[in-house]
Amino acid sequence: MDAPEVLGTSASYALPETDPDLAELRSWAAVLLKDVSEDITLDVLLVCTELASNAYEHAEGPRAVRIARVGEIIRIEVDDSTPAELPRLGESRISDSRGRGLVLIANLSRCWGTREAADGKTVWAEISA
């Protein structure tokens, strides 16, 4: 993995087709955010991990993560190739003991949502820096 520069505007990370390396994803994101407070960085890393994990659990690839910074807002976006499966807060189609990831994301983020595309969807969250 090439070390990314400190986040200026935005950066993207292509996730592997199988078996996500979430530690590598977090390392990539942490380097981008090295000028951000540790508390905010940890929130962003957790949101990145949850959104990427959901993309592997519930959607098809290819998948990608983008982190963008606009003023005091850090936006995390994860793309996948499954447009019909939009996530719902607190609901899991796998089991009743699942579905807490988006609740966690909603609590850490100022807002979150989904955007459909012809070839998939984007699930995003914004954190105040």
Side-chain angles (χ1 to χ4, degrees):
M1 170 180 80
D2 291 332
E5 297 298 319
V6 173
L7 187 61
T9 305
S10 69
S12 62
Y13 180 87
L15 292 166
E17 189 60 36
T18 59
D19 299 325
D21 188 342
L22 298 176
E24 185 174 315
L25 171 62
R26 286 189 296 269
S27 294
W28 170 80
V31 170
L32 292 174
L33 301 167
K34 63 184 171 188
D35 65 329
V36 176
S37 76
E38 183 180 12
D39 289 345
I40 300 301
T41 298
L42 291 173
D43 288 350
V44 171
L45 298 181
L46 184 54
V47 169
C48 279
T49 300
E50 286 296 325
L51 290 177
S53 295
N54 284 349
Y56 279 96
E57 183 95 22
H58 303 290
E60 299 296 320
R63 301 168 190 92
V65 176
R66 272 183 313 286
I67 298 177
R69 190 158 165 195
V70 179
E72 295 300 311
I73 303 298
I74 299 170
R75 184 177 175 103
I76 304 103
E77 298 183 339
V78 175
D79 300 329
D80 65 54
S81 297
T82 307
E85 298 293 327
L86 296 178
R88 287 194 224 27
L89 188 64
E91 292 183 22
S92 173
R93 55 187 170 79
I94 296 173
S95 76
D96 290 340
S97 66
R98 306 286 302 267
R100 296 183 186 102
L102 283 178
V103 173
L104 181 64
I105 290 167
N107 285 324
L108 291 173
S109 305
R110 61 188 285 278
C111 57
W112 74 277
T114 60
R115 183 175 62 243
E116 290 185 79
D119 59 347
K121 69 177 170 300
T122 300
V123 183
W124 57 268
E126 292 181 349
I127 295 178
S128 298

